[in-house]
């Protein structure tokens, strides 16, 4: 997922705006008698919409839906190999090669209107995902959903090993309210009722306030009030963080030391662990000469990932990936085939040139000529406002000049860029993948032939480079449908080999699940010493973070 980008802020601008920002929160004035936590996002004015199923609702955009509505299971994306934690489901059992799921619903859980949560509510909530494609982001093929006593049985037409945690992350809504809704996809849900520890207190387009309930199935949170402020842009969000008016946010700050952490070194913190999603340079494999794997491999071999991490990502935002498989480490270390462990990419111009000439490329002076006799030129497209992506491509432009490629960074508006990416109207773009509990999701996004759409076809979800390789597609299906770990391991190792041999994407960095937070009023935040949850305030696990927080004094 992408976030809005800004250029470096000036210190003068920060200080000038901070005077106004300090008045918007209580943390900068000392003391926190109201036990308030101020959470921010650079998402602009929000129309009132508390629909928990819609990513585009205010509840989805700012993340407060997870304080009201809870999932069956909590998945820690900061430690992707960890099993899910029981939440509204007290246990769950898969059978018949992950085509049958039995969920045991936790006892003694009540919605905020006082009515008990039952298996009927869980079954109804899963049924909403089945009926409404707009809610079913992972396209889960739900079959029969049957409640009985305190359990719910769900069947699927094929193995759901790769989707198992995504299925169990489903939020539960009260059937007695939502069964009255005529069109759930259009429902604004003005009076949200959930099982979470908070209820809606007030709403404006700029600030949403939640207040803690008097009763909850777990220990009541120490944070009594949550204030979500939606700032107009990254600049305003960063100003609020620097001033202490915003205590928790997810935003890219190119010069974070100067404008954020140095303002209060004792309390202003940031933690950005990698997930198993990746960012990289996607080649259009249906446009010559980028249909030639040797060219893609040579470009991959000369990219300076350390420069990208330090210069484009400020040394923290998208963690560097340099393993030859494109799998982030250390989170994905356990999945890397033995022959590739410890094998990293460092820029090697001489080896890249040898690789190219062996594949039929040649040089005229310093210019690289493809096997058809044409000079190799590369246009890399990027939205003009995405400063880190622009910098990354400028670095790659310089890197590929060393092997005789003339590159151009084409800066365009985001809508035009998105349309071009989906239609395959590009030579190369910087893009991202899905993440998941294993590297399968990222590899599928990059290499699955079942996601292929012909050039000119929009609404593409994954495989933007139009990569077609029967072995890769077969390995992905084998992984998804294997009946044991040995079969999945074999398939994943095959995918790593194909990735290295074909290089449809030159992976540059890992997606992150991080955030900035202040320890002035609250302690108990996740970090390297205790990575119990991601630090991103819009994820499901933001509730787990809030439940861990305690007053600083």
């Amino acid at each position: 997922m992408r976030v809005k980008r800004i250029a470096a802020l000036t210190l003068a601008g920060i200080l000038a705006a901070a005077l106004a920002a300090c008045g918007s929160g209580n943390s900068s004035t000392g003391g926190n008698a109201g036990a308030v936590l101020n959470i921010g996002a650079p998402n602009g004015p929000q129309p009132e919409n508390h629909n928990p199923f819609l990513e585009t609702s205010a509840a989805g955009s700012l993340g407060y839906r997870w304080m009201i509505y809870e999932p069956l299971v909590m998945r820690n994306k900061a430690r992707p190999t960890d099993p899910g934690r029981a939440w509204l489901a007290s246990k769950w059992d898969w059978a018949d090669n992950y085509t049958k799921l039995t969920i045991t619903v936790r006892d003694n859980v009540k919605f905020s209107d006082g009515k008990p949560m039952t298996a009927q509510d869980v079954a109804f909530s899963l049924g909403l995902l089945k009926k409404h494609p707009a809610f079913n982001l992972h396209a889960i093929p739900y079959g029969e959903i049957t409640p009985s006593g305190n359990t719910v049985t769900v069947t699927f037409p094929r193995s759901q090993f790769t989707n198992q945690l995504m299925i169990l992350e489903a939020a539960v809504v009260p059937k007695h309210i939502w069964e009255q809704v005529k069109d759930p996809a259009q429902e604004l849900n003005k009076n949200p009722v959930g099982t979470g520890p908070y209820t809606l207190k007030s709403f404006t387009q700029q600030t949403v306030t939640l207040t803690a309930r008097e009763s909850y199935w777990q220990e009541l949170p120490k944070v009594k009030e949550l204030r979500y402020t939606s700032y107009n842009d990254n600049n305003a969000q960063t100003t609020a963080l620097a001033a202490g008016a915003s205590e928790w946010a997810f935003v890219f700050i190119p010069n974070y030391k100067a404008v954020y952490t140095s303002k209060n070194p004792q309390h202003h913190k940031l933690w950005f662990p990698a997930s198993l999603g990746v960012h990289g340079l996607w080649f259009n494999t249906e446009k010559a000469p980028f249909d030639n794997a040797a060219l893609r491999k040579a470009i991959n071999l000369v990219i300076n990932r350390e420069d990208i991490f330090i210069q484009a990502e400020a040394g923290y935002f998208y963690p560097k990936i340099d393993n030859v498989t494109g799998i982030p480490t250390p989170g994905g270390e356990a999945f890397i085939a033995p022959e590739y462990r410890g094998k990293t990419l460092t820029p090697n111009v001489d080896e890249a040139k040898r690789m190219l000439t062996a594949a039929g490329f040649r040089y005229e002076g310093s210019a690289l000529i493809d096997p058809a006799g044409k000079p190799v030129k590369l246009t890399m497209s990027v939205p003009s406002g995405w400063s880190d992506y622009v910098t990354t491509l400028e670095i790659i432009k310089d890197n590929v000049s060393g092997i005789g490629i003339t590159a151009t960074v084409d800066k365009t508006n985001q809508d035009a860029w998105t349309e071009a990416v989906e239609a395959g109207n590009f030579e190369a773009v910087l893009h991202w993948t899905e993440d998941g509990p294993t590297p399968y999701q990222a590899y599928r996004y990059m290499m699955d032939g079942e996601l292929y759409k012909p050039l000119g076809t929009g609404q593409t979800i994954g495989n933007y480079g139009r990569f077609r390789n029967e072995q890769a597609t077969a390995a992905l299906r084998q992984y998804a449908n294997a009946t044991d770990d040995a079969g999945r391991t074999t398939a994943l190792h095959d995918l790593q080999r194909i990735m290295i041999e074909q290089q449809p994407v030159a992976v540059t960095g890992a997606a992150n699940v991080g955030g900035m937070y202040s320890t002035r009023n609250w302690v108990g935040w996740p970090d390297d010493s205790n990575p119990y949850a991601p630090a991103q305030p819009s994820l499901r696990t933001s509730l787990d973070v809030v439940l861990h927080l305690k007053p600083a004094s």
Side-chain angles (χ1 to χ4, degrees):
M1 179 180 292
R2 294 288 299 169
V3 294
K4 297 178 182 177
R5 300 300 189 209
I6 56 171
L9 299 169
T10 64
L11 181 59
I14 287 289
L15 294 177
L19 295 175
C22 285
S24 64
N26 63 355
S27 61
S28 60
T29 61
N32 192 9
V36 175
L37 174 63
N38 292 288
I39 305 167
N43 297 358
Q46 299 288 311
E48 186 168 10
N49 187 337
H50 312 299
N51 192 320
F53 297 107
L54 296 177
E55 301 293 313
T56 54
S57 69
S61 175
L62 302 183
Y64 62 84
R65 57 178 166 172
W66 305 119
M67 305 298 167
I68 299 172
Y69 298 96
E70 298 181 286
L72 293 166
V73 173
M74 281 284 187
R75 172 166 68 105
N76 182 3
K77 291 186 176 184
R79 294 176 62 93
T81 59
D82 282 3
R85 291 175 52 206
W87 211 261
L88 292 184
S90 59
K91 70 173 184 174
W92 55 96
D93 299 288
W94 288 95
D96 302 334
N97 193 27
Y98 295 89
T99 61
K100 181 179 179 181
L101 171 65
T102 301
I103 301 166
T104 301
V105 179
R106 186 177 296 279
D107 294 329
N108 301 317
V109 176
K110 291 185 178 181
F111 291 104
S112 58
D113 63 0
K115 295 188 177 181
M117 180 198 73
T118 69
Q120 294 287 336
D121 298 297
V122 173
F124 177 81
S125 300
L126 295 175
L128 287 177
L129 300 180
K130 177 181 177 179
K131 294 176 184 177
H132 299 279
F135 296 168
N136 191 0
L137 298 182
H138 298 286
I140 306 296
Y142 291 99
E144 296 297 321
I145 303 172
T146 308
S148 177
N150 71 333
T151 66
V152 177
T153 301
V154 190
T155 63
F156 306 90
R158 56 184 180 274
S159 175
Q160 294 303 299
F161 175 82
T162 61
N163 293 322
Q164 57 181 298
L165 285 179
M166 278 74 93
I167 292 167
L168 290 164
E169 283 184 320
V172 177
V173 299
K175 178 182 178 182
H176 63 275
I177 292 176
W178 281 81
E179 67 182 352
Q180 308 299 324
V181 176
K182 292 182 179 180
D183 187 356
Q186 300 297 321
E187 174 61 26
L188 300 181
N189 195 30
K190 291 291 186 73
N191 182 29
V193 173
T195 62
Y198 292 92
T199 58
L200 180 67
K201 180 179 180 180
S202 63
F203 178 90
T204 71
Q205 290 188 330
Q206 286 73 41
T207 302
V208 183
T209 303
L210 307 184
T211 188
R213 292 167 53 183
E214 294 183 356
S215 62
Y216 176 52
W217 63 273
Q218 299 190 75
E219 181 181 349
L220 286 171
K222 302 296 188 296
V223 180
K224 299 306 178 186
E225 187 168 287
L226 300 170
R227 294 178 188 167
Y228 288 81
T229 299
S230 189
Y231 297 93
N232 285 338
D233 52 30
N234 284 21
N235 195 327
Q237 173 64 83
T238 303
T239 298
L241 282 166
S246 182
E247 299 173 279
W248 189 17
F250 173 76
V251 64
F252 177 61
I253 309 175
N255 49 347
Y256 72 94
K257 292 180 181 179
V259 302
Y260 172 57
T261 55
S262 67
K263 300 305 166 190
N264 191 334
Q266 181 182 356
H267 298 301
H268 288 181
K269 309 294 181 182
L270 73 166
W271 184 56
F272 279 79
S275 73
L276 292 185
V278 303
H279 294 248
L281 185 69
W282 297 58
F283 302 101
N284 192 326
T285 63
E286 292 200 335
K287 289 191 175 184
F290 307 103
D291 57 347
N292 190 316
L295 178 59
R296 302 193 298 263
K297 291 166 67 176
I299 292 173
N300 181 65
L301 189 55
V302 298
I303 292 175
N304 193 319
R305 290 163 173 83
E306 181 68 17
D307 283 353
I308 289 172
F309 179 57
I310 299 300
Q311 297 176 30
E313 302 302 340
Y316 78 96
F317 198 71
Y318 291 140
K320 180 179 65 174
I321 298 176
D322 57 10
N323 185 270
V324 294
T325 64
I327 294 175
T329 57
E333 187 74 41
F335 300 105
I336 297 175
E339 62 266 34
Y340 302 133
R341 287 178 187 164
K343 289 193 174 182
T344 57
L345 289 163
T346 55
N348 191 329
V349 170
D350 290 340
E351 175 61 18
K353 286 183 174 181
R354 185 205 62 77
M355 188 182 298
L356 289 166
T357 54
F361 290 80
R362 60 186 175 84
Y363 283 90
E364 289 184 0
S366 61
L368 180 65
I369 308 300
D370 70 23
K374 298 179 180 179
V376 177
K377 297 182 179 180
L378 172 64
T379 299
M380 301 178 289
S381 305
V382 63
S384 58
W386 293 5
S387 60
D388 65 326
Y389 264 28
V390 171
T391 302
T392 294
L393 292 184
E394 292 290 350
I395 291 170
I396 294 176
K397 172 185 173 180
D398 181 66
N399 295 156
V400 300
S401 69
I403 54 173
I405 298 174
T406 300
T408 302
V409 178
D410 177 32
K411 302 169 191 174
T412 183
N413 69 67
Q414 184 174 338
D415 290 341
W417 179 84
T418 300
E419 183 178 343
V421 169
E422 291 194 350
N425 186 23
F426 63 89
E427 290 182 345
V429 293
L430 212 58
H431 208 287
W432 57 93
T433 70
E434 285 187 323
D435 70 357
T438 79
Y440 165 85
Q441 280 75 17
Y443 277 154
R444 177 174 180 266
Y445 217 70
M446 293 185 283
M447 296 193 288
D448 195 347
E450 291 189 4
L451 299 179
Y452 171 85
K453 289 190 176 182
L455 291 177
T457 304
Q459 300 302 311
T460 306
I461 305 298
N463 197 359
Y464 301 109
R466 272 64 181 180
F467 180 70
R468 286 190 284 183
N469 181 285
E470 292 181 359
Q471 290 181 330
T473 302
L476 287 163
R477 296 293 78 75
Q478 178 185 341
Y479 185 91
N481 297 306
T483 58
D484 55 30
D485 288 340
R488 284 185 282 271
T489 297
T490 297
L492 193 57
H493 290 181
D494 285 344
L495 288 166
Q496 294 169 47
R497 174 184 53 79
I498 296 166
M499 181 70 175
I500 292 168
E501 292 177 353
Q502 296 295 317
Q503 211 65 60
V505 178
V507 173
T508 56
N512 75 65
V513 284
M516 287 83 173
Y517 52 77
S518 171
T519 60
R520 186 176 189 275
N521 291 317
W522 300 103
V523 296
W525 300 95
D527 56 22
D528 282 330
S529 66
N530 188 16
Y532 64 85
Q536 194 166 324
S538 60
L539 298 178
R540 288 168 176 80
T541 40
S542 60
L543 171 59
D544 195 20
V545 173
V546 169
L547 293 176
H548 274 80
L549 296 183
K550 297 179 180 179
S553 59

